[in-house]
Amino acid sequence: MKSTFVVPDGLEPAQRRSDALAPGDRMPSHNPMCFGCGPDAPNGLHLDARAGEGMAITGEMLVEPHFEGGPGMIHGGILSSAFDEIMGMNVMLMGVTAVTAVLDVDFAKPIQLGSRLRFSTEILGTQRRKIYVRAVAHLIDGDGNSGGDTGEEVGGAHGLFIIVDPSVHFRESRAKSQFASPEFGA
Ligand SMILES: CCCCCCCCCCCCCC(=O)SCCNC(=O)CCNC(=O)[C@H](O)C(C)(C)COP(=O)(O)OP(=O)(O)OC[C@H]1O[C@@H](n2cnc3c(N)ncnc32)[C@H](O)[C@@H]1OP(=O)(O)O
């Protein structure tokens, strides 16, 4: 993958929270109306994420017809959103609330509508409130049918997430939410 994103040397290893999900368990949505992972978001990505080993998780997403950008192709913002979401969910393994400060995406190959994507993501390390994450996307089956699971690598991303206090960060916005959990100070 090509990227100009700089991951600093000497990061602290990220710590998985003691009660984190077991490998293979489905990662819960943090908000049912979330565009990325919410089951109730009408036009959302509906990313299905699973906890992995260590500081890694995986996710899958079908490239729906309404994700179109160029003719028959995924919109770049949709792929960016999917990377943002899956890396944000990865951070949940640490048991902290963090928001994206930087998102760096490599659109390596065109992705057609109807494709099914598999995302693999891992936390590279932390530095004070900063969390560095890397992800890749593979095509599982270009026709959207069941098929192999180790397809072509079509994209990659890095994310810098910053740990925030949710009761402070969402204090003014939460009244506008269609769903506000106590975790976010509701
Ligand atoms: C939606 C979220 C839900 C959360 C729940 C579960 C998530 C699940 C999935 C969700 C998925 C979707 C997730 C989404 O889509 S989250 C939605 C998109 N993101 C946002 O809305 C964030 C908006 N930005 C901010 O609120 C602030 O700027 C933040 C909080 C990020 C930092 O402001 P704050 O005043 O708090 O921090 P600080 O300035 O003291 O900086 C602290 C450190 O960070 C470093 N730094 C900061 N910015 C940058 C930068 N651009 N490049 C490089 N470095 C940067 C800075 O140098 C310093 O480093 P150091 O001095 O320690 O070396």
Side-chain angles (χ1 to χ4, degrees), residues 150-163:
T150 51
E152 184 182 12
E153 192 165 308
V154 290
H158 286 88
L160 170 61
F161 291 80
I162 310 294
I163 295 172

Side-chain angles (χ1 to χ4, degrees), residues 30 84-85 88 99-102 128-130 160 162 169 184:
H30 61 92
D84 189 19
E85 184 67 30
V99 294
T100 321
V102 179
R128 297 176 287 281
R129 291 167 54 214
K130 297 183 288 188
L160 170 61
I162 310 294
H169 190 82
F184 296 157

